[in-house]
Amino acid sequence: MPVQDKSDLFQFMLDRVKETQKQHPLNAEPQAFGRWFAELFFMNPRDIFVSDGSKDGKIDLFFATDNGKTVLHHVLNTKFTKEFNKIAPPSFYQEIKYFWQAFENRPSRAAYLEKAVKQELRPRYKQLFERYDNGAAELMFVTNHRRNDAHFEQVKNIPVKVFHMDDLIQCLVDDIDQAEVLVQEK
């Protein structure tokens, strides 16, 4: 695939998200975006569960990976756009802090579950809290918006892995480069 610039890679990303939406019974492209990321960035993600929607408690998707020794659970908050080079609004960074606090603030979890999470998701979220407490869950914020440097400073030191447009494009480049090497080796 001849790639010219970031906008070409961004369009390639949008095309892959649309394909992911068609392959899985997902509601819309924003929900497919998280699954696309999981399948691109992780080797064999399993038990993918899309929770995005009303009263999702800022958790849009979660899944597990297993390296043969350890099972790790990945909890994602995602933001999707079709607009190339759109800067992330300040509200995203407030949401990252809210997302993190839902896990970090143990005494407030019951109230959080009661007020911010619909009934059918609560048992799953309780399990995610337990896994987080045991060091077996990581929090991630994934967006295809451009990083807002001024507001990113507010969250760069909290334990949430944050991916923006440039990070995702680099993942695509690395994935394409690896595929080309494999083809050349054959």
Side-chain angles (χ1 to χ4, degrees):
M1 171 186 136
V3 176
Q4 303 298 321
D5 58 23
K6 278 187 188 181
S7 64
D8 292 332
L9 285 165
F10 186 84
Q11 186 57 52
F12 179 74
M13 179 190 323
L14 295 181
D15 293 344
R16 300 294 76 76
V17 169
K18 190 177 242 19
E19 283 180 24
T20 301
Q21 178 192 16
K22 290 176 184 176
Q23 293 172 356
H24 301 281
L26 302 170
N27 298 328
E29 289 175 16
Q31 289 83 15
F33 174 64
R35 181 181 283 269
W36 167 81
F37 172 80
E39 292 172 350
L40 170 74
F41 196 76
F42 293 94
M43 203 62 118
N44 301 317
R46 61 184 176 95
D47 305 323
I48 295 175
F49 187 87
V50 177
S51 52
D52 187 24
S54 164
K55 291 192 83 173
D56 65 11
K58 305 301 178 197
I59 297 173
D60 297 322
L61 175 129
F62 50 94
F63 60 94
T65 56
D66 184 347
N67 67 7
K69 295 179 184 178
T70 308
V71 174
L72 185 60
H73 299 269
H74 309 272
V75 184
L76 278 63
N77 177 284
T78 61
K79 298 293 179 198
F80 176 76
T81 183
K82 291 184 178 184
E83 186 179 325
F84 173 67
N85 222 23
K86 185 174 183 180
I87 193 162
S91 62
F92 282 14
Y93 302 94
Q94 292 300 318
E95 189 163 319
I96 292 170
K97 288 193 274 186
Y98 177 85
F99 171 58
W100 170 63
Q101 280 298 312
F103 282 81
E104 198 62 30
N105 190 349
R106 291 179 182 140
S108 297
R109 286 179 181 168
Y112 162 81
L113 288 172
E114 181 68 32
K115 295 176 183 174
V117 178
K118 57 187 162 192
Q119 180 69 36
E120 60 268 22
L121 293 176
R122 291 177 192 159
R124 291 178 183 267
Y125 285 23
K126 285 179 185 176
Q127 287 182 332
L128 291 174
F129 288 149
E130 290 171 13
R131 291 170 176 148
Y132 180 80
D133 292 343
N134 293 326
E138 71 175 354
L139 307 179
M140 305 176 90
F141 176 81
V142 183
T143 183
N144 62 344
H145 289 74
R146 189 166 44 92
R147 185 168 80 187
N148 184 326
D149 291 326
H151 294 278
F152 177 69
E153 289 297 314
Q154 301 172 24
V155 299
K156 74 177 187 178
N157 293 320
I158 63 173
V160 175
K161 291 184 178 180
V162 180
F163 295 84
H164 291 89
M165 180 186 75
D166 285 336
D167 303 311
L168 299 177
I169 286 175
Q170 187 59 52
C171 288
L172 284 173
V173 168
D174 293 346
D175 196 48
I176 291 168
D177 288 347
Q178 183 180 5
E180 288 176 358
V181 167
L182 291 173
V183 168
Q184 291 172 358
E185 290 176 354
K186 287 187 177 183

